[in-house]
Amino acid sequence: MYELPPLIKQRMWREICAFLMLLALGVFLSMAQALDINIPNPVQAIEYIFQPVSEWVDNVLS
Amino acid sequence: MLKESKFTPRQIMLLYMVSVMGTANFFVPAATAELAGRDGWLSIIAITLPSLFIVFILTTLALRYPNVPFSISFERIIGKYPGKLLSLLYIFFMLVVNASIVREFLSFISTTILPQTPHGANALGLLIAVCFLLRKDLSVVGKVADILAYIFLGSFLVIFLLLINKFQFQNILPILDRDVVQVLKPLIVPTVWNGEVIFLIYYLFYCDNIQKAAGKLYLGAVGIVFFKLLMITSTIWVFGEAQNLRLPVFSIGTMINVANFVRNLDAIIIIAWVTGIFIKVSVFQGAVLLSLRHSFRLNNYRFLVLPSLFIIYALANSMFRGTNDITKFLLVSWPYFGLTFELVIPALLLIISFIRGDKSGSSNNNYSSNSSSDVRASATN
């Protein structure tokens, strides 16, 4: 909230929007973690996509 | 003011070297030892060419659009909305990479020097420093590199020199006793680490002399290989294959003993590590903020520093359950995930750009309605 008043004073709506979106994402992630709520983990998604590639390369090289 | 907001080519090179070595010099010796054993040093020499190739692809792409920021060049190449989508994908990539770096730092600190301190306190120490640095001014990142990079690089040289009396040079023999494929297998991990040059490409727009800075990045890539070679050969000469050590570079610090007087210099390794991580997280987070600023045409990025670090901390805590998860990610998924964003996508963009014959040289191609120099000047406001 420390950042918001100068932005409102200067009527920087686009910047306010970006700020609130990032803040909401940060708060959501932190709250989900604090409350032990299972949220999609980006690492699992990355592993889901790239692990087959890694296994294929390992097979080719072995 | 305009002059102050820019980076010099030397600063770009130093930022690249420190950013890559901040984590790679500590994890790569263990990774190469596990996959290539005592021939790990050959793998490191072999990464020179692919590393230079990645630098070539990225700098060629950046130099084709010297008047626009890197994230805007996506829009010039593949169109406005696909370009914005690609920018968002890159922001996701950079956030994940940065969060994993913070998590590696927390894990390293808690296993080595601060086992009783909660992760939150260590993270707060790092992220507050990064926040101050980024909120102050973009050029401060370069100035910090000017001061700290020499301490960082010097500490590796000091460790190497003080270990000379512990070296058992026969540990490196026999050379190439295993299959060449086995030696080349770990090549991709350190190559992807060198490919982190992509984060510095975001800063090239703010550089005094983009051509010269691109040249310095090649020099930086060779420098990184040299320092990695120093650390890998040191661990092999001291520990042999060092296969069962998680952080062999940290362990060699404890082996230093010169005349029973200069010893237990693992503190030097800690200094190098913390300095490297501090600069690395700042540089990478700066790239995230620059990308957000340009993609969404924001007036400045300072007000985004705090919420973005908030996200980094939340991601760092939730992405990995423990050190084993980090190691698995770094060895299995990260090489191909990294290579996709560092080489495959930029190479495709470069090919599309060549086919379209598009090049940002004329004034009507400049970023937004402002002249590029105005944008550069306002970047730090």
Side-chain angles (χ1 to χ4, degrees):
Chain A
M1 292 304 111
Y2 163 73
E3 305 278 6
L4 219 42
L7 293 177
I8 294 173
K9 207 175 273 179
Q10 291 173 54
R11 294 168 183 266
M12 297 164 85
W13 306 120
R14 191 190 283 257
E15 284 73 13
I16 292 169
C17 208
F19 173 79
L20 289 177
M21 275 170 67
L22 282 192
L23 192 66
L25 183 62
V27 170
F28 169 71
L29 288 171
S30 307
M31 293 295 280
Q33 200 195 337
L35 299 173
D36 256 346
I37 299 170
N38 261 338
I39 50 163
N41 185 340
V43 170
Q44 281 170 356
I46 293 163
E47 281 179 350
Y48 180 77
I49 298 168
F50 292 100
Q51 197 154 355
V53 182
S54 169
E55 283 166 8
W56 179 76
V57 172
D58 277 352
N59 279 337
V60 169
L61 292 180
S62 61
Chain B
M1 184 64 200
L2 185 65
K3 189 76 183 167
E4 279 175 6
S5 70
K6 290 181 179 180
F7 293 89
T8 62
R10 185 171 46 86
Q11 283 173 343
I12 294 280
M13 182 187 77
L14 290 175
L15 285 173
Y16 174 37
M17 289 179 75
V18 178
S19 299
V20 173
M21 294 197 300
T23 48
N25 265 18
F26 299 90
F27 282 96
V28 165
T32 50
E34 193 179 321
L35 295 165
R38 67 170 73 84
D39 288 327
W41 63 281
L42 287 172
S43 314
I44 293 301
I45 293 174
I47 69 164
T48 315
L49 274 181
S51 303
L52 290 175
F53 181 66
I54 293 177
V55 175
F56 166 74
I57 294 285
L58 288 168
T59 50
T60 310
L61 187 60
L63 289 173
R64 275 183 79 78
Y65 300 88
N67 295 328
V68 294
F70 190 55
S71 42
I72 300 295
S73 65
F74 300 160
E75 294 176 26
R76 294 281 156 87
I77 298 168
I78 54 173
K80 190 176 176 187
Y81 293 106
K84 276 200 192 302
L85 188 68
L86 189 59
S87 283
L88 281 177
L89 273 177
Y90 266 92
I91 289 168
F92 167 75
F93 164 72
M94 293 190 281
L95 282 174
V96 169
V97 173
N98 220 4
S100 63
I101 293 161
V102 172
R103 189 66 176 78
E104 281 167 37
F105 168 77
L106 297 178
S107 148
F108 174 81
I109 286 289
S110 63
T111 50
T112 51
I113 48 166
L114 297 171
Q116 303 290 322
T117 315
H119 271 187
N122 291 334
L124 211 63
L126 173 72
L127 295 179
I128 285 179
V130 172
C131 181
F132 269 109
L133 183 64
L134 290 174
R135 273 185 64 86
K136 191 71 186 162
D137 194 295
L138 192 65
S139 63
V140 179
V141 180
K143 287 171 186 163
V144 164
D146 257 343
I147 300 164
L148 295 182
Y150 297 107
I151 298 174
F152 178 80
L153 299 175
S155 60
F156 288 113
L157 287 175
V158 167
I159 291 160
F160 185 81
L161 292 174
L162 291 177
L163 273 170
I164 284 177
N165 63 346
K166 293 278 173 190
F167 286 162
Q168 292 171 315
F169 295 101
Q170 71 276 14
N171 278 350
I172 215 160
L173 301 172
I175 293 170
L176 261 183
D177 65 328
R178 46 185 93 198
D179 205 349
V180 178
V181 177
Q182 286 291 106
V183 175
L184 295 180
K185 211 172 171 182
L187 195 138
I188 189 165
V189 179
T191 303
V192 172
W193 246 301
N194 279 19
E196 283 175 352
V197 64
I198 188 144
F199 292 89
L200 273 305
I201 299 295
Y202 284 87
Y203 291 87
L204 278 187
F205 179 66
Y206 299 100
C207 192
D208 283 336
N209 185 340
I210 297 181
Q211 287 275 359
K212 201 174 169 190
K216 289 272 184 184
L217 286 176
Y218 288 97
L219 194 62
V222 176
I224 291 165
V225 171
F226 170 74
F227 276 97
K228 274 185 191 163
L229 199 59
L230 274 191
M231 284 301 104
I232 287 195
T233 46
S234 304
T235 54
I236 295 170
W237 282 333
V238 174
F239 294 120
E241 293 205 9
Q243 281 193 352
N244 51 355
L245 292 167
R246 239 188 67 222
L247 294 164
V249 173
F250 179 70
S251 304
I252 54 172
T254 59
M255 301 292 287
I256 292 172
N257 185 351
V258 180
N260 278 334
F261 179 67
V262 181
R263 55 185 174 181
N264 289 334
L265 290 186
D266 39 331
I268 291 186
I269 311 266
I270 303 284
I271 292 168
W273 170 274
V274 175
T275 309
I277 290 283
F278 168 58
I279 293 178
K280 183 167 192 161
V281 173
S282 307
V283 168
F284 287 16
Q285 199 58 18
V288 171
L289 294 167
L290 286 178
S291 188
L292 277 169
R293 175 178 180 264
H294 295 139
S295 303
F296 296 102
R297 306 287 201 278
L298 304 175
N299 271 336
N300 67 56
Y301 70 80
R302 280 184 186 175
F303 58 90
L304 295 177
V305 174
L306 271 173
S308 70
L309 289 175
F310 203 24
I311 293 173
I312 289 292
Y313 178 62
L315 277 178
N317 272 333
S318 61
M319 280 197 329
F320 304 102
R321 283 187 299 274
T323 317
N324 288 343
D325 270 9
I326 304 174
T327 314
K328 189 187 162 206
F329 175 70
L330 288 178
L331 290 178
V332 179
S333 311
W334 157 242
Y336 304 97
F337 176 56
L339 215 57
T340 306
F341 284 89
E342 292 165 0
L343 180 63
V344 178
I345 295 175
L348 288 173
L349 288 174
L350 191 61
I351 291 167
I352 294 169
S353 166
F354 270 118
I355 291 170
R356 289 184 52 170
D358 186 24
K359 200 171 179 180
S360 153
S362 58
S363 58
N364 61 348
N365 256 340
N366 281 348
Y367 170 57
S368 178
S369 56
N370 305 326
S371 75
S372 57
S373 55
D374 289 341
V375 174
R376 286 181 178 124
S378 66
T380 56
N381 293 335

